[in-house]
Amino acid sequence: MAGAAGPGTGPGAAGGDGDDSLYPIAVLIDELRNEDVQLRLNSIKKLSTIALALGVERTRTELLPFLTDTIYDEDEVLLALAEQLGNFTGLVGGPDFAHCLLPPLESLATVEETVVRDKAVESLRQISQEHTPIALEAHFVPLVKRLASGDWFTSRTSACGLFSVCYPRASNAVKAEIRQHFRSLCSDDTPMVRRAAASKLGEFAKVLELDSVKSEIVPLFTNLASDEQDSVRLLAVEACVSIAQLLSQEDLEALVMPTLRQAAEDKSWRVRYMVADKFSELQKAVGPKITLNDLIPAFQNLLKDCEAEVRAAAAHKVKELCENLPPEGRETIIMNQILPFIKELVSDTNQHVKSALASVIMGLSTILGKENTIEHLLPLFLAQLKDECPEVRLNIISNLDCVNEVIGIRQLSQSLLPAIVELAEDAKWRVRLAIIEYMPLLAGQLGVQFFDEKLNSLCMAWLVDHVYAIREAATNNLMKLVKKFGTEWAQNTIVPKVLVMASDPNYLHRMTTLFCINALSEACGQEITTKQMLPIVLKMAGDQVANVRFNVAKSLQKIGPILDTDALQEEVKPVLQKLGQDEDVDVKYFAQEALSAVAQRLRKLDSPAKDGEEPSAPGADKNHFLRPGGPGEDTGKAHRERAARVVSEEAVEAARFRGTDAAKVSPRTGIPQLLPGARALRAPSVLSLGEEECGGESWRMNFL
């Protein structure tokens, strides 16, 4: 390769302290050809450091050609390379030399792996913006043409993503050529190329002149929407949104709507799914008149489609469709043309369809108003609230605030809450468990006052349920409620009721008291825990049931970090010592465990660690790598030395790992280097770093 140094000039041949500042760069360069994929990947990710050390000219003339020649590598290495090159313009000399980055990226845009090609196209699009119009036509447009006429489909698919970025700044003659190339790709023999063209059709249409859109893009859209491959047809639906935004109502009706109607009734469910998924965007693009005449009937068909995936996608769009309808006549349209189909979906056989509908149906109440909500929507909400699918119930409970705003809390309590209470007392414990999990969410929707009146007693009743899973969930539920409503609410409402259970005849309920204290102590804070909860826990240490006593020890260990020194020393420690002498072996064990934790806590409180940090060295500049150069300073050399310093330690560690025997830190530069006589890194094999001035000493290093 041009500029390569002669034999015997590698990093191992350099001697003295003057040759160590660029040694780490040699390590990185050498790793570009290492057999270990991870080392190559690490070096690629630090490609900017190598380029900074080489300088802009050597990066252009040696590093980039080397990268272009060695483009065949593992996919993860190529992906990292494609990403790095997108930000390389400044390292090759600025926009005037941006075209130097095109050859390696062109090669990357033709590889077989899709993610690598996509990243290369992304970097090419980024670099295209840095080309001048003259450079764009001289270098970038020819690249697009080469890719578009390549023998392999990989290059042609990559070309599809580049037309829209070079078209706006090209001359009229070149624009005609670009449109011709795009037309040929839209009718390519390979389905993958047609898919790529269809996916970029809308983006390309946005940068074209209106006449070209009508005369060229619309026919392409019609052909792609009738393609034999459904994967091409569904992408054409996506392009329809962008094309519709560019045309007038008359042109839309004549040029686009026949194709869109055909897509909404396509034989492939995937195409119909895409129409349902893009329905809101299509509705906004075509306007209210076409929506009423064409889209509403199409939407009705999608809501009763034979495929559940299509019905679910359409159900997701119900609220957006209704919101985007014109205010005049909106209510009538919804009640007569949409609501009958929604009622059928409430009892759909597929749970995904019901869940999708439940996530949006509550939003209709704000559109239809109070009377329609009470008369038509509340029965649907109740039916979904009793649905066997947990996700459907969760979606209804999650959006109760929408209904609350419209019909008021009183009406809500009379209609939906009885259904919630009924589920909370269901004979099946799993149903009760599901409602408990929704309770914090429901509490946030309804507010503290309403919760205390209607649901507080329900939450306390769960604490004495005969199923342990319910009691455990109820305990966690209390903790979440305290976090939501605050410690004052807990002190007045929850804590007294929990502590009363400490004298319950059933030992399981007494243990639940301890579990609640464990959960509530952190949320309630030190004062409430010390004054109200701790005395009850200490009193329960004398319980007749061993299970309660060892849970007392566990509770004291749990709440210990919240208590102060006096409480630990004077109240907790004596009780734990007494439990440590208990006749039950489990009580002894947990008491000793708690004693150890309390003792450790006391030691920390008695001798708190001193805060502070070691002061920085005088005059140290933590941002030295980013510091601008001073007057007269050789900034190129300074940048290279800083780059070397940043990677030095890591590079020498890598050298050690790969066979270097010893290393030291240079007393002059502070950069690690190989000791004299140590086995040097194998000779690099690509490029030559050339002669660099390092502290007045000339230093030559080779890339192979």
Side-chain angles (χ1 to χ4, degrees), residues 241-279:
V241 177
S242 300
I243 296 172
Q245 293 171 343
L246 303 172
L247 301 175
S248 64
Q249 289 287 308
E250 293 77 11
D251 292 332
L252 269 176
E253 186 62 52
L255 302 175
V256 174
M257 288 313 298
T259 306
L260 184 57
R261 293 189 199 104
Q262 177 185 332
E265 299 174 354
D266 196 276
K267 62 183 179 180
S268 170
W269 72 267
R270 297 170 65 195
V271 178
R272 301 196 304 274
Y273 174 90
M274 182 59 74
V275 173
D277 189 55
K278 298 293 178 182
F279 210 88

Side-chain angles (χ1 to χ4, degrees), residues 641-664:
E641 289 180 351
R642 292 180 196 130
R645 186 179 296 277
V646 166
V647 297
S648 58
E649 294 182 6
E650 184 176 342
V652 172
E653 285 299 319
R656 284 199 188 109
F657 176 74
R658 292 160 52 207
T660 306
D661 293 325
K664 71 171 185 176

Side-chain angles (χ1 to χ4, degrees), residues 3 16 21 31 43 57 67 79 111 166 177 225 234 244 266 296 314 413 445 471 567 646:
S21 65
E31 286 176 354
S43 189
E57 185 174 348
L67 294 174
L79 179 63
V111 300
C166 62
E177 293 181 26
L234 66 88
D266 196 276
I296 293 294
S413 64
Q445 304 275 340
R471 299 197 299 273
V646 166

